[in-house]
Amino acid sequence: MRKLNADVVVVGGGSTGTGVVRDAAMRGYRAILVERADLAQGTSGRFHGLLHSGGRYVVADPLSAAECAAENAVISRIQPAAVERTGGLFIVGPGDDPDFGDVFLAGAKAAQVPAEEISPGAALRLEPRLDPKLRRAFQVLDGTVDGWQLVWSAAASARLWGGQILTYTEIVEIIRGSEGVRGVRAVDRKTGEAIEIECGFLINCAGPWAGRVATLAGVRPVEVVPGRGVMVAMAHRLVNRVVNRCAKPADGDILVPVHTVCVIGTTDVKVADPDNLAIPRAEVRQMLEAGEALIPGFQQARALHAWAGARPLVKDDRVDDSDTRHMSRGMAVIDHAARDGVAGLVTVGGGKLTTYRLMAQHAVDAMENQTGRRHPCRTADEICPGQTPGRNYLVSCRLQEREADRLDDQIICECELVSRRALLGLWDEFPQASLDDLRRQSRLGMGPCQGGFCSARAAGLACATGKADGAQATGLLRDFLANRWLGLAPVLYGDQVRQTALDYWIFQGALDVDHLPAAPNRPAEPPAAEDQGSPPTRRQASLACSAGPAVAGEGVSL
Amino acid sequence: MSGQDSYEHNLLARASLDHCVKCTICETQCPVAAVTALFPGPKYVGPQAERYRQGQSVDRSLDYCSSCGTCTLVCPQGVKIAELNSVARAAMKKDHMPLRDRLISRTTLMGAAMRPVAPLANAALACRPLRVLAEAAVGVHRDAAMPTAQRQTFTAWQAKHQPPDGAGRRGTLVYFHGCAGNYFEVETSIKSVELLEHLGYGVLVPKQGCCGLPLQSNGLFDTARAWVRRLVAQLDKAPQDLVIVSSTTSCSGMLKHEAREILGVEDAALRAVGARTRDLCEFLLAEAERGELPLDFAPLDLTVPYHAPCQLRGHGLGTPAVQLLRLIPGLTVVESGAVCCGIAGTYGLKKEKYAIAQAVGQPLFDKVKEVAGDLAVCDSETCRWQIEKACGVRAVHPVWLLHKAYGLS
């Protein structure tokens, strides 16, 4: 049993929780964050990568729009390496109502979201793959953001201010005294060690899981309605700016160039359990068709991977709870002292990644409202550690890095240009890391071949450097392949079938990876999809390969 | 217009990167990656690096690609690797095009400047101190193979040339000689015309400029596009139903596919000209296959090494010269089996690439020296200059042997 002590415990290592622990630490509190998996492993790493300009909300939710516009500038400044300032376009397509463009412009003006109309020809010069029949186009300041980089750099800042971050640590109990929350019990999932943290305050930032955490605290249920969004990454950037459909927000109306891929998203379906997110073929198909509406020929391009994330929307009584799209995206901060008479507890919900910092500020303000202590929030003023002011991410960054070191370093992941030194450096920093943990840090296995070549290299590296023995390395490899498979299975058509068939044959036909002796591994992550939790059997893979385009016909459900 | 069609075209070549499955076949066949680590290899700079480019190329090492096109040829998945690289290189060099690359890409200019002072020019090119100076000043390697200037251009010969009786009885052809064929490889052009006339064809030679290939391979896309369009218009001055025959493999390849696939020039005239253009050996072999090529060859008691240039392989024709030459009694043709001679147009001239080009060509040079007496055969002029310089043999176009076997020389 490990005993710790803090002023405030933050539950949930997504963007909000990490923002809260940073904010609290910067205000001088002893803050500890507990996260049951890896940082940004849940919702904050499972989105399309859009850093909103606010344009999307100017008509329906002007307050959110204004917040996005302001926070976009703040995040681009304080966490430049996580943000690519791509710019964005809102496009009125041939089937869309051109008058909506006027409503959009008026809304943008009112919400102070910079937007400028450009001619269709100018839009096509910027993005030649757009539908040449587009009717109107508006330029906005959308950017793209790496959720993991965002969260880690905020975490690094929190640590610098004395904040502690415990990943793979799951809360099992919230201890309440007569005056409210006085501690939590947790367990380290990698070592099994029990942890008790004495604290005077708890901020619940568990996103889609916030309802469960509130239940542990024994307060009146907090209703979080997880909205499942399915997203599909394409193998290369078909556009270099964010492309939005200029119409009432709907499914699949944003194409986001992030890192080396572009992501079409997203669906929005109410689900019961955020731990059980399916990636239905029909929704994948819907996304591909939506992409086709923005970019003719989209369905012929290579899909790379699909995934589902859960929106952490807090239930709002004003709308029917089956319609998550029109629920408030504004942040909800619930003060349980006022609501339930339980002091020392605040729950944060709703919001968007773009406004995570502001949300954290409101959450810590809510804590200070309860405790009566006041400190100014300084999170917008200080650039996170390891960041060069003004130096935003560019898609070419990593190619430039490898250009400098490729002659004296091996490249482990060729698609995402991960070098041996970079990977081993991360491994030294996180000795307990699974290959999937390293993937989130480095993008290992996130390119077109989806780990087909680099995962075996990485497992071999683990052996060669004494980080794992043969059986453990096999375990690492298998877990990684199983996780990649979750996102590959729904997009097996066209070029990605050829790749998967080759990879499959290497792993099953040459390495016989399923029958190698393997050691049980470090805790697996919470399952992300139902009924797809294991690597493909021979039969599944052969079915997948014959399934044909997901966009035509039913395909074979795995 | 040119800026835009290049970008659109870039997108098309770019789309082909989706087909890459990392099989690495291109890297195993790349002649440059085989000899130097400075070039990261076609898979790396092609389908991999292209995902990181957004209209800018930060990876200077891609300039070590020689544009031989072997990668595209061998890719089983249909990735336009060489084309991707050419487009990326043009983007990279846009802001800092070396003067040297502007100069050596203008074959017409070089030929026109050297012809009036041919003996002097040749002496200068053979003069080591001058070459050392040129290397320092311009960056053309002191030992790089250079063409030999001629006193008379092919067009001057053509203007005075009287076709023999019977030329034209089997129809009329258009002859495309290319700039090297006009200024440097004059003899090859003359023999080509004489051979075609001997076979009964009338030969029209419309005034023609450069196809733009050296400009293209040096990344000067806008000028290259203008030049290939001008050439198409010039060739179209001859009746447009005639077959165009060419003894210059790389330039005809420009008309047939590179102008579209690399420069993104999309117009009907180019397509039509490309479609009726034939490599000379391709044309003659088709005659032979139809039984229309006279086989009254005098025996040539010779063993010659033959090298199929990369540019010819890019046509996807196989090696018609080999099949054709094997019709000559007594002549033994030994194929080099080598991938590339290293010169790749102007690549091997460059100071920083000369050693690489020589290493690329080494297996070919070894083979030529092993087989050749004093003669080697190759379809492409710059490859011939490279072979001559490296092996100390005379390297000729296949038409030379056919011309001789017909008793025309």
Side-chain angles (χ1 to χ4, degrees):
Chain A
M1 162 89 84
R2 192 159 27 132
K3 289 209 167 196
L4 300 168
N5 197 288
D7 296 325
V8 54
V9 166
V10 181
V11 182
S15 57
T16 310
T18 315
V20 167
V21 73
R22 173 174 183 247
D23 194 325
M26 285 178 83
R27 293 194 206 198
Y29 295 102
R30 291 171 307 132
I32 298 179
L33 181 147
V34 288
E35 159 58 47
R36 68 172 184 161
D38 198 2
L39 289 181
Q41 192 271 334
T43 303
S44 302
R46 294 175 191 270
F47 75 125
H48 39 47
L50 175 62
L51 187 69
H52 281 280
S53 61
R56 188 170 167 81
Y57 303 119
V58 293
V59 176
D61 189 352
L63 179 64
S64 281
E67 285 173 354
C68 283
E71 285 300 303
N72 180 311
V74 171
I75 303 307
S76 299
R77 188 177 70 244
I78 66 169
Q79 298 180 285
V83 175
E84 182 175 358
R85 310 191 85 167
T86 57
L89 293 170
F90 276 76
I91 298 297
V92 179
D96 297 330
D97 173 14
D99 293 340
F100 190 82
D102 298 329
V103 180
F104 172 82
L105 269 184
K109 195 170 175 205
Q112 294 193 308
V113 170
E116 185 193 350
E117 178 152 20
I118 59 173
S119 71
L124 284 165
R125 275 193 293 281
L126 293 174
E127 293 297 344
R129 280 187 185 258
L130 290 173
D131 187 338
K133 297 191 295 294
L134 71 97
R135 302 168 83 159
R136 299 181 74 176
F138 306 91
Q139 242 180 327
V140 295
L141 297 178
D142 285 336
T144 72
V145 57
D146 181 318
W148 298 313
Q149 297 289 342
L150 182 91
V151 167
W152 287 317
S153 68
S157 170
R159 287 196 188 98
L160 199 68
W161 286 94
Q164 281 188 71
I165 290 170
L166 309 177
T167 56
Y168 290 100
T169 300
E170 187 161 14
I171 292 274
V172 289
E173 189 186 340
I174 293 174
I175 308 163
R176 272 175 55 182
S178 52
E179 275 139 54
V181 171
R182 60 177 185 81
V184 297
R185 290 201 177 89
V187 61
D188 182 326
R189 295 177 63 236
K190 294 229 177 190
T191 62
E193 189 187 12
I195 301 170
E196 191 175 309
I197 311 173
E198 193 183 310
C199 66
F201 214 96
L202 188 144
I203 303 182
N204 170 14
C205 305
W209 295 271
R212 292 188 196 170
V213 173
T215 307
L216 283 181
V219 296
R220 196 149 57 83
V222 169
E223 275 201 73
V224 180
V225 185
R228 178 186 66 211
V230 164
M231 283 146 277
V232 180
M234 309 304 283
H236 73 274
R237 287 163 75 134
L238 299 165
V239 291
N240 284 313
R241 286 163 192 75
V242 177
V243 175
N244 306 264
R245 205 156 160 187
C246 189
K248 203 162 150 271
D251 288 353
D253 53 3
I254 314 177
L255 183 59
V256 184
V258 58
H259 289 292
T260 50
V261 303
C262 61
V263 179
I264 181 85
T266 165
T267 55
D268 194 349
V269 177
K270 181 190 168 187
V271 291
D273 179 3
D275 279 335
N276 233 332
L277 298 179
I279 309 170
R281 282 225 164 193
E283 286 183 38
V284 169
R285 185 158 64 224
Q286 188 192 344
M287 287 302 97
L288 296 173
E289 283 165 1
E292 189 77 30
L294 294 168
I295 306 287
F298 190 87
Q299 295 178 88
Q300 275 74 56
R302 177 173 176 174
L304 194 76
H305 196 93
W307 65 92
R311 291 179 181 79
L313 301 187
V314 173
K315 190 174 166 186
D316 177 337
D317 294 329
R318 286 173 302 182
V319 291
D320 181 332
D321 69 359
S322 65
D323 182 4
T324 59
R325 165 103 37 222
H326 299 102
M327 210 174 265
S328 166
R329 268 153 219 273
M331 41 200 82
V333 177
I334 300 171
D335 179 339
H336 292 280
R339 177 181 183 259
D340 305 298
V342 176
L345 181 64
V346 159
T347 291
V348 191
K352 291 166 285 295
L353 189 98
T354 303
T355 54
Y356 90 95
R357 190 210 60 84
L358 185 62
M359 223 152 89
Q361 179 181 341
H362 290 331
V364 181
D365 285 349
M367 174 177 84
E368 292 198 329
N369 280 342
Q370 266 194 35
T371 60
R373 289 184 286 176
R374 297 282 173 188
H375 303 83
C377 170
R378 293 184 293 115
T379 51
D381 308 328
E382 189 175 293
I383 291 176
C384 288
Q387 314 266 318
T388 312
R391 187 90 165 265
N392 288 108
Y393 173 85
L394 289 172
V395 66
S396 53
C397 284
R398 202 170 266 187
L399 184 60
Q400 200 153 23
E401 286 167 21
R402 292 296 82 78
E403 182 70 4
D405 65 17
R406 67 176 182 88
L407 286 173
D408 63 342
D409 200 1
Q410 185 192 3
I411 292 176
I412 301 297
C413 169
E414 295 171 87
C415 303
E416 292 299 320
L417 298 180
V418 181
S419 70
R420 181 188 176 113
R421 274 207 291 270
L423 194 63
L424 287 177
L426 285 170
W427 229 327
D428 289 339
E429 203 180 324
F430 306 97
Q432 295 292 311
S434 68
L435 291 185
D436 230 37
D437 294 336
L438 295 173
R439 171 182 70 82
R440 283 185 286 273
Q441 298 269 1
S442 67
R443 297 188 59 79
L444 178 84
M446 291 183 72
C449 85
Q450 288 287 293
F453 293 83
C454 62
S455 58
R457 282 189 197 123
L461 206 53
C463 272
T465 55
K467 296 184 193 311
D469 62 23
Q472 289 165 335
T474 301
L476 286 172
L477 177 60
R478 265 194 215 164
D479 285 353
F480 188 74
L481 293 175
N483 276 324
R484 292 287 83 195
W485 175 251
L486 298 179
L488 271 170
V491 294
L492 284 184
Y493 68 96
D495 284 317
Q496 201 62 328
V497 173
R498 280 198 268 194
Q499 183 73 63
T500 307
L502 175 64
D503 295 354
Y504 170 80
W505 186 237
I506 291 170
F507 285 111
Q508 305 295 334
L511 296 179
D512 197 14
V513 73
D514 280 349
H515 299 102
L516 290 173
N521 244 303
R522 296 138 195 184
E525 290 164 3
E530 60 196 23
D531 76 13
Q532 290 173 345
S534 58
T537 61
R538 173 178 292 270
R539 190 177 123 70
Q540 279 175 323
S542 67
L543 278 178
C545 294
S546 60
V551 292
E554 270 308 302
V556 176
S557 168
L558 295 176
Chain B
M1 177 170 75
S2 55
Q4 190 164 344
D5 66 15
S6 86
Y7 190 38
E8 284 166 4
H9 175 70
N10 179 4
L11 295 174
L12 294 178
R14 209 185 148 121
S16 79
L17 76 86
D18 274 356
H19 306 323
C20 177
V21 295
K22 311 255 150 193
C23 70
T24 311
I25 288 174
C26 58
E27 306 234 320
T28 67
Q29 298 301 304
C30 171
V32 178
V35 300
T36 177
L38 291 173
F39 181 51
K43 177 182 70 173
Y44 183 96
V45 302
Q48 279 175 198
E50 185 60 25
R51 297 176 65 241
Y52 294 83
R53 301 195 188 106
Q54 183 180 328
Q56 56 178 357
S57 307
V58 296
D59 49 333
R60 304 295 300 272
S61 57
L62 92 90
D63 194 36
Y64 282 103
C65 166
S66 78
S67 305
C68 72
T70 304
C71 45
T72 296
L73 197 67
V74 300
C75 176
Q77 308 293 346
V79 183
K80 295 279 181 195
I81 309 167
E83 290 78 356
L84 278 171
N85 294 349
S86 294
V87 173
R89 175 170 41 209
M92 182 185 78
K93 290 173 74 179
K94 207 154 197 153
D95 305 328
H96 52 275
M97 184 64 67
L99 171 69
R100 187 255 331 265
D101 296 5
R102 291 186 191 280
L103 286 177
I104 59 176
S105 55
R106 283 168 167 81
T107 321
T108 335
L109 187 70
M110 280 169 61
M114 286 160 73
R115 189 206 52 80
V117 290
L120 199 62
N122 291 333
L125 287 177
C127 171
R128 193 161 179 85
L130 284 180
R131 289 292 300 268
V132 171
L133 275 178
E135 178 182 300
V138 196
V140 173
H141 195 275
R142 63 186 73 176
D143 293 322
M146 282 288 156
T148 308
Q150 308 292 328
R151 281 164 174 273
Q152 185 189 36
T153 62
F154 166 71
T155 41
W157 174 86
Q158 174 73 11
K160 286 182 268 172
H161 169 61
Q162 286 297 323
D165 293 343
R169 69 178 189 278
R170 296 186 60 206
T172 305
L173 299 169
V174 175
Y175 178 59
F176 171 41
H177 49 69
C179 354
N182 191 34
Y183 292 106
F184 304 117
E185 291 284 318
V186 177
E187 200 59 30
T188 299
S189 304
I190 293 172
K191 288 183 195 300
S192 300
V193 170
E194 287 179 347
L195 182 94
L196 291 168
E197 289 175 345
H198 172 73
L199 297 177
Y201 288 103
V203 179
L204 297 178
V205 186
K207 179 181 185 307
Q208 48 196 266
C210 177
C211 66
L213 175 61
L215 294 159
Q216 181 247 91
S217 67
N218 279 288
L220 293 150
F221 277 19
D222 286 342
T223 320
R225 282 186 197 105
W227 286 24
V228 74
R229 286 196 162 107
R230 188 184 61 198
L231 173 64
V232 165
Q234 287 169 331
L235 292 172
D236 267 344
K237 291 241 162 67
Q240 295 180 16
D241 56 343
L242 300 181
V243 170
I244 301 168
V245 176
S246 172
S247 54
T248 178
T249 311
S250 48
C251 312
S252 59
M254 180 74 169
L255 291 173
K256 284 163 87 165
H257 62 107
E258 292 200 1
R260 272 186 294 120
E261 293 171 357
I262 296 178
L263 298 178
V265 175
E266 275 302 343
D267 64 41
L270 170 70
R271 269 182 191 276
V273 162
R276 62 194 171 91
T277 298
R278 301 281 180 279
D279 176 74
L280 176 62
C281 292
E282 173 194 16
F283 176 80
L284 295 175
L285 183 64
E287 296 263 288
E289 283 168 349
R290 286 195 304 269
E292 291 171 11
L293 188 76
L295 298 176
D296 54 341
F297 295 115
L300 294 179
D301 192 15
L302 263 179
T303 297
V304 290
Y306 168 79
H307 175 62
C310 311
Q311 296 281 0
L312 175 79
R313 281 184 281 132
H315 285 233
L317 298 172
T319 49
V322 173
Q323 289 170 271
L324 207 53
L325 292 176
R326 285 185 176 151
L327 298 173
I328 299 175
L331 180 64
T332 305
V333 179
V334 180
E335 291 186 71
S336 73
V339 180
C340 180
C341 72
I343 192 80
T346 57
Y347 181 86
L349 304 181
K350 299 173 182 175
K351 182 174 66 177
E352 71 282 9
K353 289 164 186 133
Y354 174 80
I356 296 171
Q358 295 305 111
V360 166
Q362 199 57 51
L364 170 64
F365 307 152
D366 293 344
K367 186 75 181 177
V368 168
K369 286 177 189 163
E370 175 198 321
V371 175
D374 52 8
L375 197 65
V377 181
C378 177
D379 309 72
S380 174
E381 42 292 77
T382 54
C383 309
R384 292 198 291 272
W385 304 337
Q386 172 85 335
I387 293 168
E388 289 186 338
K389 174 85 183 179
C391 306
V393 299
R394 183 84 171 99
V396 299
H397 188 278
V399 75
W400 285 52
L401 297 180
L402 295 164
H403 192 268
K404 188 170 176 63
Y406 277 130
L408 300 170
S409 51

